[in-house]
Amino acid sequence: MTNFYSFHGTVTAINDFFTGQNGEGCTKMYTLQNEMGAIVNFVVSPTTFFVDHEIVRVGDQVTGYYNGDLPAILIYPPQYPAIVMVKENPQQNVKVDYFNNQLLSSDGDLKLNLSPNTRIRLTNGQPFSLYPGNRDLIVLYTITTRSIPAQTTPQRIIVLC
C-alpha cells in the first residue's frame, strides 16, 4: 500500500536530470508551480507512468503523484520521484490511491462500482484479470454521486503492480 501524495500545478521547466549512470537523457526534472506560487520538482524516470501516455510540455497543467512515506531530501524547492503524472483533462477525473477489498479509497472519499464496461488494465496496457481490490490503482472516471463517500462507475482502472 503506497501512501500517495500529490501536487498540482503548471509545468514551468523540463530539464535533463543527470544520474551519473549510463542512460543519460532518460530521466527528466519537471518543475511545477501552483496558483499559490509553491514550487515542486518531480524526478521523472522511465518507470514513471503517464496517464494516457500524454506528452507533457511547459505550460501544461499536471498533477504529480509520489510516495509520501519515502524520505525526501531537504532542499528547496522540494524534489520527489514521480510515480504517476496526469495531464489535466476537463472531461476526466483521476484518482490515484490504494483501494481496499470493498473498492473504497484509503481516504474514504471514493467508492468504486465496477461494471462490465469498466476496463481494467496493467500499466503496460494488458488486461488485468483479477479483482482490483486491495491494490494501488489509477482510476479514471467522469461523474460521481453526491453521497459520502462519493461513488462512481469508472471508465478505466489501471493497476499499479
Side-chain angles (χ1 to χ4, degrees), residues 41-140:
N41 287 326
F42 281 106
V43 177
V44 175
S45 71
T47 60
T48 301
F49 182 77
F50 282 76
V51 171
D52 293 330
H53 302 287
E54 291 273 1
I55 303 297
V56 173
R57 295 179 176 86
V58 172
D60 289 341
Q61 293 283 317
V62 300
T63 303
Y65 293 87
Y66 59 98
N67 186 342
D69 291 335
L70 291 179
I73 57 176
L74 295 174
I75 60 171
Y76 182 82
Q79 178 177 304
Y80 305 111
I83 298 172
V84 177
M85 297 292 282
V86 181
K87 187 173 176 179
E88 188 173 292
N89 179 347
Q91 283 83 40
Q92 176 175 271
N93 297 304
V94 178
K95 178 136 182 118
V96 180
D97 205 349
Y98 174 83
F99 286 80
N100 69 15
N101 63 345
Q102 301 297 314
L103 296 179
L104 180 65
S105 63
S106 67
D107 60 9
D109 287 346
L110 188 64
K111 168 94 169 69
L112 307 181
N113 300 312
L114 300 181
S115 84
N117 295 328
T118 302
R119 293 179 294 157
I120 305 174
R121 301 281 189 256
L122 297 169
T123 54
N124 64 7
Q126 299 305 302
F128 181 77
S129 57
L130 301 176
Y131 183 71
N134 293 321
R135 297 179 185 272
D136 294 330
L137 305 175
I138 303 170
V139 179
L140 295 96

Side-chain angles (χ1 to χ4, degrees), residues 9-59:
T10 302
V11 178
T12 59
I14 300 172
N15 297 300
D16 285 328
F17 184 78
F18 296 102
T19 60
Q21 300 171 354
N22 192 13
E24 294 302 330
C26 295
T27 302
K28 304 287 184 187
M29 176 80 74
Y30 283 53
T31 302
L32 276 62
Q33 184 172 7
N34 70 9
E35 293 175 352
M36 304 296 289
I39 297 172
V40 167
N41 287 326
F42 281 106
V43 177
V44 175
S45 71
T47 60
T48 301
F49 182 77
F50 282 76
V51 171
D52 293 330
H53 302 287
E54 291 273 1
I55 303 297
V56 173
R57 295 179 176 86
V58 172

